[in-house]
Amino acid sequence: MSTRLSDRQIKLISVLLILIIAIFWWLGTINSTTEMTGKTYRAGLYQIKLQLKPSKPKVGNNLIRISLLDNFGQVITDANISAIAIMPGMGSMPEMRAPAKMTHEGKGLYSGSFDLSMIGAWPLTIKINSVKNGSAELFFDLKTSREGLRLENSTPASGNPSQADTKNDGTKEAAESTPVSTPVSTLDANGFALTGKYLLKISLGPDSPRVGRNKIQIEVKSIAGKPIRDAKIRALVQFHADNKTASDKVMINLKATSDGIYVGHFKLAKAGNWPLAVDIETPELGHADLVFNMNTNNKSLKLTTATPTGISHYTCSMHPSVKSKKPGTCPICSMPLTVVTKKEVSTGIIHISAQRRQLIGVTTQKVQRLRFIKTIRAAGRITYNESKMTDV
C-alpha cells in the first residue's frame, strides 16, 4: 500500500494552509484595531485615545479614530461622538467647517472622516456623550503643516480614583489638571461637582427644599477621590425675589460628622428662589467655590457656577490691565475675556489658543541665524546749512 500523496491532495493541503494563515491574520487585524497606541487623554468620566490618518493632516479627506473607555478601563459602546474642525473667519473670508460623522466600529472604537478645504490651522473640537458617563469636550490644535494633535483644553477629569495618565511606554504619570474657559455647570454620574481641586456632593433633606427647617450634607473629596478632613467650609442661602435683589441671607453652620462629610441645618422663611453658595478652603488644595440654583418649587439643585481648575483670573488680549475673577467681556473693547492660568502666572509663559492665533493673524517659524540687513529709501532735498551761512 503506497503512502505517497497525490498532486491533488498536495494542492488541497496547500489551499487549507493558506486559508488558516489568512484567518489568523484577519483575526489579528481585528484585535489590533481595538488597541490604539499613544497618549491617553482624560475628560469628564472618559479615557480617550486618538489617531489621525495621515498623521500629518492634509488638504482633502482625513480619517480620525477614537478609542473610548471609562475611568475604570471599561469599553464604552453607546456614546454619541461629534468631531468638527473649524477654520475661523478672517476679514471677508467666512468661517469654514469640516465635520466628521463618527460611527462605532465595535469594542469602543469610533471612526469618521473630515475634509479640509485649504492649508492652515483647523482647531478640532470633540464632544462625547453617553447615558451612563455624561458629557465631555476636548479641544485640539490641528494644523496641516504639523503631525498629530495638541490638546489645548478639555472638560476636567472627575470621578477617577487614580487620576493618572498613561504614557506611551505604559507607565503612569500624574494627570495635569486642564483649565476650562467657562464655569463648570455639570455633575458627574455620582452627583459630584468639580470645583477647583475638589469634588463636592450636596444632599438636602428633604430632597425638595421647603419653607421651614432643612438639612444639608456636603461630601468633600480630592480629585483623586480621597475624603477631605478639617476643611473650612462656608455655606449660605439668599432669597432672590426677582433674581436681581438679594435679601434674607441665611448662613449655615456646618459640622464635620465623619471623614469628608459635613452636615448643617437652615430655615427658609418663605417660598421661592434661594440660591445656595458654598466655598471651601484647605492649606494643601487652596480655595474653591460653587453656586447652586435652589428653589422650593424644584426637587433638585442645579449647579450654575464653580471655580474652574487652575485659573488665576480672566483678562483681555488687547487690554491686559483688565483682570476679572469671572468670564465675560472686556469693558474697554467688548472682546471676550481669556483665561490666565496659575501656571502661566508663575512661569510668565502665556498660551494663546490656535483659534485666537488664527483670528489675530499670528504666524510662527523655526528660529534661524541669518544676516539682518534693512535698507531704508527716502526722498530728500539738498540745501544750504543755514547755521553756517554769513552775510558780509
Side-chain angles (χ1 to χ4, degrees):
M1 181 177 176
S2 176
T3 57
R4 185 177 180 181
L5 297 175
S6 65
D7 292 341
R8 185 175 180 181
Q9 289 174 319
I10 293 173
K11 289 180 180 179
L12 182 60
I13 292 172
S14 301
V15 170
L16 288 174
L17 288 173
I18 292 172
L19 285 173
I20 291 171
I21 293 171
I23 289 171
F24 276 103
W25 175 84
W26 180 68
L27 290 173
T29 59
I30 289 177
N31 292 333
S32 63
T33 59
T34 60
E35 297 179 1
M36 293 172 57
T37 59
K39 182 177 176 61
T40 298
Y41 302 98
R42 295 188 183 276
L45 298 172
Y46 300 97
Q47 298 183 62
I48 304 104
K49 287 186 179 180
L50 295 96
Q51 269 185 1
L52 288 179
K53 190 175 182 180
S55 57
K56 180 187 288 187
K58 64 177 183 179
V59 175
N61 197 48
N62 296 264
L63 177 68
I64 181 169
R65 303 171 75 230
I66 297 175
S67 172
L68 191 62
L69 304 173
D70 65 15
N71 278 338
F72 300 97
Q74 299 299 312
V75 172
I76 297 176
T77 60
D78 64 340
N80 292 318
I81 301 179
S82 66
I84 184 168
I86 299 176
M87 177 174 281
M90 296 175 289
S92 60
M93 186 187 79
E95 177 182 272
M96 290 184 287
R97 293 173 168 253
K101 185 178 180 181
M102 305 298 295
T103 57
H104 184 226
E105 295 182 2
K107 297 185 178 181
L109 185 64
Y110 300 78
S111 65
S113 61
F114 55 93
D115 192 355
L116 304 182
S117 55
M118 63 183 294
I119 294 173
W122 290 80
L124 176 67
T125 300
I126 295 175
K127 296 182 179 180
I128 305 170
N129 186 58
S130 70
V131 175
K132 182 180 179 181
N133 293 277
S135 59
E137 291 181 292
L138 299 96
F139 305 91
F140 291 92
D141 182 6
L142 180 150
K143 288 183 180 179
T144 55
S145 59
R146 188 185 61 223
E147 296 239 354
L149 298 166
R150 293 181 181 176
L151 181 67
E152 290 209 326
N153 209 337
S154 67
T155 302
S158 60
N160 178 29
S162 65
Q163 286 295 305
D165 280 342
T166 304
K167 295 182 180 180
N168 292 343
D169 59 5
T171 60
K172 299 286 184 179
E173 64 178 358
E176 182 177 339
S177 59
T178 307
V180 293
S181 58
T182 56
V184 180
S185 59
T186 57
L187 304 178
D188 67 14
N190 298 316
F192 282 88
L194 177 68
T195 176
K197 296 182 179 180
Y198 304 93
L199 290 170
L200 268 73
K201 183 178 181 180
I202 312 291
S203 304
L204 294 178
D207 293 338
S208 178
R210 63 186 177 185
V211 175
R213 187 177 175 84
N214 295 266
K215 179 182 177 181
I216 183 172
Q217 176 179 295
I218 303 176
E219 185 176 354
V220 186
K221 296 181 179 181
S222 67
I223 294 179
K226 184 179 179 181
I228 301 294
R229 295 181 293 177
D230 302 325
K232 293 181 180 179
I233 301 181
R234 293 192 315 154
L236 65 90
V237 291
Q238 298 183 88
F239 179 72
H240 281 206
D242 54 5
N243 289 328
K244 294 181 181 179
T245 305
S247 60
D248 293 345
K249 182 187 296 184
V250 178
M251 293 294 299
I252 303 174
N253 184 26
L254 295 165
K255 293 183 178 180
T257 59
S258 59
D259 283 356
I261 305 293
Y262 301 80
V263 176
H265 295 86
F266 60 96
K267 185 180 290 187
L268 302 182
K270 63 186 87 173
N273 187 27
W274 291 83
L276 168 66
V278 179
D279 67 69
I280 178 172
E281 186 172 0
T282 62
E284 296 81 13
L285 302 179
H287 175 268
D289 53 60
L290 67 172
V291 177
F292 288 87
N293 182 20
M294 187 178 76
N295 197 301
T296 55
N297 297 320
N298 297 330
K299 288 187 176 181
S300 59
L301 297 172
K302 182 179 180 182
L303 180 63
T304 56
T305 61
T307 302
T309 305
I311 287 181
S312 171
H313 61 275
Y314 296 83
T315 189
C316 176
S317 303
M318 300 295 294
H319 305 94
S321 60
V322 174
K323 293 183 179 180
S324 172
K325 291 185 178 181
K326 298 180 180 180
T329 56
C330 175
I332 301 173
C333 64
S334 299
M335 287 181 61
L337 298 180
T338 59
V339 170
V340 178
T341 66
K342 293 177 181 178
K343 184 177 181 181
E344 289 171 340
V345 172
S346 62
T347 61
I349 300 172
I350 303 298
H351 179 75
I352 304 174
S353 69
Q355 187 171 11
R356 186 168 291 275
R357 292 198 300 269
Q358 186 85 331
L359 287 170
I360 62 179
V362 174
T363 58
T364 59
Q365 186 176 328
K366 288 185 177 180
V367 177
Q368 301 179 60
R369 184 180 292 275
L370 299 171
R371 187 181 178 189
F372 184 76
I373 300 175
K374 187 173 181 64
T375 302
I376 300 175
R377 300 183 182 276
R381 182 170 61 88
I382 298 176
T383 185
Y384 297 106
N385 183 356
E386 295 184 0
S387 66
K388 300 296 183 182
M389 294 178 67
T390 304
D391 291 333
V392 178

